[in-house]
Amino acid sequence: MNSRSPSSGGSDPDPPEALFFPNQRKESGTKALYGALKANDAMRRWIIRSTVAALVAGGCGMLTGDWRVGVTLGLITLVSVMVWSSRRESEIPRWRKPSAAQRRTEAQLKVMKQLGYRVLHARAVPGGNGQIDHFIVGRRGAFAIDSESWDKRLPLRNKLEKLYHGRFSKNERIDEALEEAKRAEELISEELGRDIKVRASLAIYGPGMPWDSHRLRGVDIITGTKVRKWLRTGRDRLSETEIEEIYQAAKKALPPRY
């Protein structure tokens, strides 16, 4: 018999709650692992930045014979590296590596965050298999953006309320984006206890378009580089309190897609 008494050596048995809620235990372990990896990665980046700045400061100080010049150039280098890195780094975890189109949209949204917009990336839509690449709420309303990179060699055209990329119909993709936004609208409204509107869109990178944005089948088709301009076209006028309420409700209603 291999029974183990409480006083014997070895690891403690799992607590009773772990037997009944194994998924909760796995989720806690995953969050702890992600937090540790994120902290280590942040420390590594700071070490690299500081080392580069120190080398620049020391080198320039020796060349000029003035340590103040070296320190000044070192600080400038540190700030420049931080700005460059912030534009390249994604808020989406590394094991959910975003596409090039998603990263380009995310870079534009970092500017909008400085203007008071609240942003969530890579959010699942419960009740379906879809994902909202970017959920944004600001003074002009709530928006759902999916970022797409399409072949630039094929023209994009609107024919009888149907979108074609070359000879390929993109109506199914438009309908998916609309369905995701409508479902998000329902879930967030339910969480808030009042109705809100979520404006659906596709940000397209690659093919040239004769418009900055064009509404088709209930979805705005946006030239990818014009996302910031499009966000300012919303008709809603939300207060800071409403923006925060919708943002917090969206965080609960649309879980992270990882």
Side-chain angles (χ1 to χ4, degrees), residues 156-158 163 208-216 221-223 226:
L156 200 64
R157 55 195 174 88
N158 173 18
L163 184 68
M209 290 188 279
W211 59 77
D212 289 344
S213 65
H214 177 66
R215 193 162 183 81
L216 184 64
I221 312 300
I222 316 167
T223 299
K226 303 294 184 179

Side-chain angles (χ1 to χ4, degrees), residues 121-169:
H121 299 287
R123 311 303 286 198
V125 183
N129 297 321
Q131 168 184 302
I132 293 178
D133 292 341
H134 320 276
F135 178 84
I136 307 101
V137 58
R139 291 175 302 225
R140 297 297 181 91
F143 309 86
I145 302 177
D146 281 348
S147 298
E148 301 275 333
S149 182
W150 294 351
D151 192 337
K152 65 180 180 181
R153 296 170 296 180
L154 301 179
L156 200 64
R157 55 195 174 88
N158 173 18
K159 183 179 179 181
L160 300 177
E161 289 301 298
K162 295 182 179 180
L163 184 68
Y164 288 91
H165 182 219
R167 61 186 180 87
F168 303 101
S169 172

